[in-house]
């Protein structure tokens, strides 16, 4: 229940009580109640409904109901003018209580009428705007095609390196109207350049342009909204137009992140190159030391003999295997931890190739913890057996001429 309706009903109650108090000696209220209860109830109901309808804004119904109530009161007067003392009733109604009831009634009626009028004016204005926009629809469609390229040019004209003053100088000629620099309502530390782009139509539709700068004066946003956009015009949340939006802050952050990644990658590449160079230098240094160690090694008591003679027809001059026996002396200043050996039983020292594959290594099983230690000045003996040889192989009388080399050496500092 509204306040106006409550006031009206209370006033109606007071008026009823007051009417009884001033007519109880002149009127036969029992007879009236007996013969006129239905009519009086109908009149009161009609008036209540009429004024309630007036309060709630049903103007057409209010007029009809109030008119019916007035006719009913006039009919009551005509019927009772011979029996009721109406001048006396009117005279008593001019007492303070009657005046108060009348004032309450007039106040309720005035408030209700004003509210009804305001609602009617608002509805008329809304209807007028709707008709206005409908008439301007074709014009807006043509203007949108003309204005959207201007928005694109405005977006391209503003760059993240500009200040708001620079953006203003760039936008004013494009928009054809001056822009203004203001302080946004949501952040007093920022500044915003505000501009508009108006279509040449009788319409409330227009484009709102904002260029926002942060506390340091750097541009963070270029945004466009379609205010009061015509029906059917596709926009984002709150009428925004994402196709004409530039997030300079995100671009600046992405550029900074990309630059940081580039610098990190460059530093990593430089560190990798430095490690590769250091590793290459270390490897070259070890090769030099390795060659020096190989040259410093001395062979002692090298022997080669046939073993497990084959059963061929020339068994007396053939070998199944060749057994090698020799010692190596370490003349370097490094401790040798591993040696690799290779041989070619079909070549002599004169025809021995420069590179031989490693066929035996000491220790043989380094991966399971076997170790060898040949300190500076120490000697160590070695024994090897060659691969199975063909039946026509003959070792000859000069085993010292066999092609046998140290192919690898490993050492510790």
């Amino acid at each position: 229940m509204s306040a106006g309706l409550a006031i009206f009903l209370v006033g109606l109650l007071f008026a009823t009580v007051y009417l009884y108090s001033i007519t109880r000696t002149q009127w036969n209220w029992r007879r009236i109640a007996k013969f006129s209860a239905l009519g009086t109830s109908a009149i009161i109901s009609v008036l209540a409904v009429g004024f309630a309808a007036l309060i709630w804004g049903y103007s057409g119904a209010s007029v009809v109901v109030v008119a019916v109530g007035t006719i009913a009161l006039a009919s009551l007067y005509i019927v009772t003018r011979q029996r009721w003392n109406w001048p006396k009733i009117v005279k008593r109604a001019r007492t303070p209580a009657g005046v108060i009831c009348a004032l309450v009634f007039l106040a309720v009626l005035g408030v209700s009428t004003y509210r009804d009028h305001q609602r009617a004016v608002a509805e008329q204005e809304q209807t007028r705007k709707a008709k206005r926009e409908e008439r301007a629809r074709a014009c807006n469609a043509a203007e949108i095609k003309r204005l959207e390229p201007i928005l694109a040019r405005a977006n391209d004209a503003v760059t993240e390196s500009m200040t708001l003053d620079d953006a203003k100088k760039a936008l004013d000629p494009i928009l054809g109207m001056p822009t203004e620099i203001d302080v946004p309502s949501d952040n007093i530390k920022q500044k915003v350049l505000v501009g508009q782009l108006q279509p040449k139509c009788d319409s409330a539709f227009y484009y709102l342009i904002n260029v926002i700068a942060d506390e340091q004066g750097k541009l963070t946003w270029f945004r466009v909204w379609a205010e009061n956009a015509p029906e059917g015009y596709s926009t984002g949340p709150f009428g925004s137009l994402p196709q004409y939006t530039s997030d300079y802050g995100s671009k600046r952050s992405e550029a900074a992140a990309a630059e940081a990644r580039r610098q990190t990658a460059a530093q990593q590449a430089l560190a990798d190159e430095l490690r590769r160079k250091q590793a290459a230098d270390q490897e070259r240094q070890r090769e030099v030391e390795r060659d020096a160690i190989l040259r410093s090694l001395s062979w002692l008591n090298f022997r080669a003999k046939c073993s497990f003679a084959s059963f061929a027809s020339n068994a007396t001059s053939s070998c199944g295997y060749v057994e090698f026996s020799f010692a190596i002396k370490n003349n370097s200043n490094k401790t040798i931890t591993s040696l690799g050996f290779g041989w070619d039983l079909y070549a002599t020292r004169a025809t021995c190739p420069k590179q031989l594959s490693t066929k035996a290594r000491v220790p043989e099983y380094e991966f399971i913890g076997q170790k060898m230690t040949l300190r500076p000045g120490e000697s160590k003996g070695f024994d090897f057996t060659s691969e199975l040889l063909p039946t026509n192989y003959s070792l000859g009388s000069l085993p010292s001429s066999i092609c046998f080399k140290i192919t690898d050496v490993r050492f510790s500092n």
Side-chain angles (χ1 to χ4, degrees):
M1 180 183 294
S2 64
L5 179 59
I7 293 172
F8 169 75
L9 296 178
V10 171
L12 184 62
L13 177 61
F14 287 164
T16 304
V17 173
Y18 179 70
L19 179 63
Y20 171 76
S21 65
I22 63 176
T23 59
R24 61 182 178 179
T25 58
Q26 288 85 13
W27 297 357
N28 188 351
W29 279 94
R30 292 183 179 180
R31 186 176 181 184
I32 292 174
K34 181 178 180 180
F35 295 102
S36 305
L38 182 60
T40 304
S41 299
I43 292 172
I44 294 175
S45 299
V46 168
L47 287 175
V49 171
F51 285 115
L54 186 62
I55 291 172
W56 291 331
Y58 300 100
S59 57
S62 301
V63 173
V64 173
V65 173
V66 171
V68 171
T70 304
I71 294 172
L73 285 175
S75 301
L76 178 63
Y77 170 74
I78 294 171
V79 172
T80 61
R81 64 181 177 177
Q82 300 296 332
R83 290 176 290 177
W84 293 359
N85 190 354
W86 280 96
K88 189 175 181 179
I89 293 174
V90 173
K91 183 178 179 181
R92 290 193 177 184
R94 287 182 294 182
T95 59
V99 172
I100 291 173
C101 291
L103 290 176
V104 170
F105 172 77
L106 292 175
V108 172
L109 183 61
V111 171
S112 302
T113 304
Y114 176 76
R115 290 180 56 186
D116 188 31
H117 173 71
Q118 291 294 100
R119 188 178 293 108
V121 169
E123 291 176 354
Q124 290 175 1
E125 181 65 18
Q126 186 175 1
T127 303
R128 188 187 65 80
K129 288 182 178 179
K131 291 181 178 180
R132 173 190 174 192
E133 295 298 329
E134 187 62 29
R135 288 193 301 269
R137 188 170 179 79
C139 178
N140 282 332
E143 284 295 283
I144 287 173
K145 293 181 180 180
R146 182 181 70 86
L147 297 179
E148 283 188 339
I150 298 177
L151 293 175
R153 285 169 48 204
N155 190 12
D156 295 337
V158 179
T159 62
E160 61 184 84
S161 59
M162 288 183 173
T163 63
L164 280 184
D165 292 331
D166 297 334
K168 178 178 175 61
K169 294 178 182 178
L171 288 180
D172 286 355
I174 296 176
L175 300 180
M177 60 185 304
T179 56
E180 295 182 358
I181 297 177
D182 201 352
V183 178
S185 58
D186 58 345
N187 192 336
I188 197 171
K189 295 182 179 180
Q190 294 182 347
K191 288 187 177 181
V192 58
L193 178 66
V194 182
Q196 292 184 5
L197 196 57
Q198 297 278 0
K200 299 177 181 179
C201 303
D202 183 18
S203 171
F205 166 59
Y206 68 95
Y207 292 105
L208 176 63
I209 301 169
N210 280 183
V211 182
I212 303 173
D214 61 12
E215 301 173 15
Q216 288 76 35
K218 296 181 179 179
L219 300 188
T220 57
W221 283 98
F222 181 99
R223 286 178 171 174
V224 179
W225 290 270
E227 298 292 330
N228 305 312
E231 185 177 356
Y233 189 40
S234 179
T235 61
F238 307 104
S240 62
L241 298 177
Q243 64 270 33
Y244 305 117
T245 297
S246 295
D247 185 355
Y248 303 122
S250 296
K251 289 181 180 179
R252 197 176 292 112
S253 299
E254 291 174 0
E259 178 63 19
R261 290 193 296 269
R262 187 193 66 79
Q263 292 182 0
T264 301
Q267 293 174 356
Q268 185 64 37
L270 183 62
D272 293 343
E273 181 63 24
L274 181 60
R275 283 193 294 269
R276 285 193 295 269
K277 184 177 180 181
Q278 291 175 346
D281 292 343
Q282 292 175 357
E283 184 62 26
R284 283 194 295 271
Q285 181 64 28
R286 290 187 69 84
E287 284 295 322
V288 171
E289 294 179 348
R290 175 180 173 277
D291 292 340
I293 292 173
L294 285 175
R295 289 192 300 269
S296 72
L297 297 178
S298 300
W299 295 80
L300 304 175
N301 303 323
F302 181 84
R303 296 190 301 272
K305 65 177 182 178
C306 287
S307 176
F308 187 68
S310 66
F311 295 98
S313 59
N314 56 349
T316 56
S317 60
S318 63
C319 298
Y321 301 92
V322 175
E323 292 183 352
F324 304 102
S325 178
F326 57 91
I328 296 293
K329 183 178 179 180
N330 182 8
N331 297 314
S332 70
N333 59 354
K334 304 290 185 182
T335 298
I336 297 174
T337 59
S338 177
L339 286 171
F341 301 96
W343 55 82
D344 185 353
L345 299 180
Y346 297 95
T348 64
R349 288 188 178 181
T351 61
C352 190
K354 293 183 178 181
Q355 298 292 334
L356 289 176
S357 60
T358 299
K359 295 184 177 181
R361 178 175 293 279
V362 178
E364 185 176 2
Y365 303 108
E366 285 184 282
F367 63 91
I368 61 172
Q370 290 186 351
K371 296 181 180 180
M372 185 194 80
T373 301
L374 185 58
R375 296 181 176 86
E378 292 183 348
S379 300
K380 184 175 179 62
F382 301 93
D383 296 296
F384 297 107
T385 300
S386 72
E387 68 275 16
L388 181 65
L389 299 172
T391 57
N392 59 353
Y393 178 82
S394 178
L395 181 63
S397 59
L398 296 174
S400 60
S401 65
I402 291 176
C403 178
F404 194 100
K405 286 185 177 182
I406 299 175
T407 57
D408 186 33
V409 60
R410 299 175 186 175
F411 57 93
S412 61
N413 295 322

